[in-house]
Amino acid sequence: MTEPDDETLSALAHTGEQDVEVTLRPKKLGEFIGQPRVREQLELVLESARRRGVPPDHVLLSGPPGLGKTSMAMIIAAELGSALRITSGPALERAGDLAAMLSNLAPGDVLFIDEIHRIARPAEEMLYLAMEDFRVDVVVGKGPGATSIPLEIAPFTLVGATTRSGALTGPLRDRFGFTGQMEFYSDDELDQVVRRAARILDIEIDPLGSAEIARRSRGTPRIANRLLRRVRDYAEVRADGVATKQVVRAALEVYDVDELGLDRLDRAVLGALVKSFGGGPVGVSTLAVAVGEEPTTVEEVCEPYLVRAGMLARTPRGRVATAAAWEHLGLQPPERVLPDPGLFDQP
């Protein structure tokens, strides 16, 4: 058995998971589980474009990592019968990088830019013109003799994905004709995801076992699929290969995933907040030092789920543990756990 991985419950993609994720990705909108509102809206956008014989409006997919934004981009291209070109915001450092990619697009192609909020400013400004008028201005030469040459590009559909929609500039956001907000999955939806993945990977799992995995997957299909593979490892080595509820519970105990889907780092953050700082408030940097992690890891990996689970609150004065956090750690919460409501961030 492998050692427990502190990133088992991270919604970010791990190195080496690409091949498995490609196998598990749905190929059509009808195969996509969850996100019913976004699916219905996209179906209307794509069908309308097909009937009019034109590329659909540019699409922005927003939401936390691991919810299916890349899968949805691939489905859009498949539904249109178009080629898909994939890049990422950090890879587009210069306008020339984007110009080269745009000039190679065929009519109707789909260009997918992951983490589009991280695109460099010169490339973003070139993207404005490409999205609106399907042309780019290429600057030839330097200094006073520089000349701008307009270059026509084929009509295309841009699909942008972002985990931080608030980081997008206004002009870029306004150029998308459709924005789909991806939401966390319910336990029932994740149960369907687990059972579908088990069929594809030829893993024998019973209904109670799949439901147990779904319940601990933090509302994220990528985490559900990852936990399923770890349960498979355990079932093959220490059981008879069948992922029953008892096998799932034993396997996830080995990998430090508790009843509520918290891992070692989550519990370390709550433990430090409660035991070392009396429940807070405490700054995220101080909290990160207490658990031996980087502040960005605590803020981006742990906090989103702890806040959503109602165990941690962000206030202007720092992080505060709720009564649920004390109770989850088996401790008696003090009478006055949280600061006054006025100290909390406004929605």
Side-chain angles (χ1 to χ4, degrees), residues 278-279 320-324 326-327 331-340:
V320 177
T322 67
W326 290 78
E327 292 167 0
L331 301 173
Q332 180 66 33
E335 292 182 2
R336 192 166 181 268
V337 177
L338 296 176
D340 294 333

Side-chain angles (χ1 to χ4, degrees), residues 55-76:
D57 286 343
H58 304 298
V59 176
L60 177 65
L61 299 173
S62 174
L67 299 186
K69 295 186 293 297
T70 301
S71 296
M72 194 69 82
M74 293 180 174
I75 288 173
I76 290 172

Side-chain angles (χ1 to χ4, degrees), residues 5-18 20-21 24 65-66 193-194 197 201 203 213 217-218 220-233 252 255 257 263 301:
D5 182 0
D6 288 342
E7 295 187 352
T8 298
L9 293 180
S10 170
L12 302 176
H14 293 179
T15 303
E17 285 188 331
Q18 289 84 353
V20 177
E21 288 200 350
L24 297 179
V193 169
V194 171
L201 298 177
I203 300 171
I213 292 176
S217 298
R218 304 160 78 110
T220 307
R222 178 177 288 153
I223 294 176
N225 290 330
R226 187 180 300 143
L227 292 182
L228 175 64
R229 300 197 298 275
R230 300 291 72 79
V231 168
R232 174 195 58 188
D233 297 342
L252 297 185
Y255 287 98
V257 181
D263 64 6
V301 176

Side-chain angles (χ1 to χ4, degrees), residues 84-97:
L84 177 68
R85 308 300 175 91
I86 301 177
T87 186
S88 66
L92 300 175
E93 297 181 351
R94 298 180 298 273
D97 300 332

Side-chain angles (χ1 to χ4, degrees), residues 66-346:
L67 299 186
K69 295 186 293 297
T70 301
S71 296
M72 194 69 82
M74 293 180 174
I75 288 173
I76 290 172
E79 292 281 351
L80 294 172
S82 304
L84 177 68
R85 308 300 175 91
I86 301 177
T87 186
S88 66
L92 300 175
E93 297 181 351
R94 298 180 298 273
D97 300 332
L98 180 62
M101 179 164 287
L102 292 172
S103 63
N104 287 323
L105 293 176
D109 278 1
V110 176
L111 174 62
F112 175 55
I113 303 180
D114 197 13
E115 295 299 302
I116 193 171
H117 62 272
R118 297 176 61 187
I119 191 172
R121 186 71 184 197
E124 179 181 324
E125 292 175 350
M126 174 176 285
L127 195 57
Y128 297 161
L129 196 59
M131 293 173 71
E132 283 192 333
D133 301 329
F134 299 116
R135 71 179 179 89
V136 294
D137 291 336
V138 180
V139 178
V140 179
K142 296 182 179 180
T147 304
S148 178
I149 301 177
L151 175 65
E152 299 294 326
I153 58 176
F156 71 100
T157 296
L158 173 65
V159 180
T162 178
T163 56
R164 299 174 58 193
S165 59
L168 286 175
T169 62
L172 180 57
R173 189 187 305 110
D174 292 343
R175 282 170 170 78
F176 287 97
F178 169 75
T179 299
Q181 178 63 47
M182 309 288 277
E183 304 288 347
F184 285 106
Y185 283 54
S186 68
D187 288 352
D188 288 342
E189 291 170 338
L190 286 175
D191 190 18
Q192 297 177 51
V193 169
V194 171
R195 286 189 277 113
R196 176 182 179 273
R199 289 194 299 271
I200 295 173
L201 298 177
D202 196 23
I203 300 171
E204 190 174 351
I205 187 169
D206 69 16
L208 293 179
S210 63
E212 187 70 15
I213 292 176
R215 193 168 61 83
R216 305 191 191 199
S217 298
R218 304 160 78 110
T220 307
R222 178 177 288 153
I223 294 176
N225 290 330
R226 187 180 300 143
L227 292 182
L228 175 64
R229 300 197 298 275
R230 300 291 72 79
V231 168
R232 174 195 58 188
D233 297 342
Y234 183 94
E236 291 178 350
V237 175
R238 295 189 179 178
D240 59 1
V242 181
T244 63
K245 181 177 181 178
Q246 291 73 21
V247 170
V248 169
R249 293 173 70 91
L252 297 185
E253 184 177 350
V254 170
Y255 287 98
D256 281 337
V257 181
D258 70 14
E259 293 281 342
L260 296 182
L262 273 60
D263 64 6
R264 180 204 62 82
L265 183 56
D266 296 323
R267 292 191 297 274
V269 168
L270 289 182
L273 183 56
V274 167
K275 298 174 184 178
S276 301
F277 303 104
V282 62
V284 66
S285 298
T286 304
L287 194 56
V289 170
V291 298
E293 288 287 350
E294 293 293 325
T296 53
T297 301
V298 173
E299 195 166 16
E300 297 177 7
V301 176
C302 297
E303 284 192 352
Y305 182 68
L306 292 177
V307 171
R308 194 161 59 89
M311 295 190 178
L312 182 144
R314 293 173 171 172
T315 77
R317 293 173 55 192
R319 276 51 177 176
V320 177
T322 67
W326 290 78
E327 292 167 0
H328 185 67
L329 296 175
L331 301 173
Q332 180 66 33
E335 292 182 2
R336 192 166 181 268
V337 177
L338 296 176
D340 294 333
L343 295 179
F344 284 93
D345 291 332
Q346 296 299 317

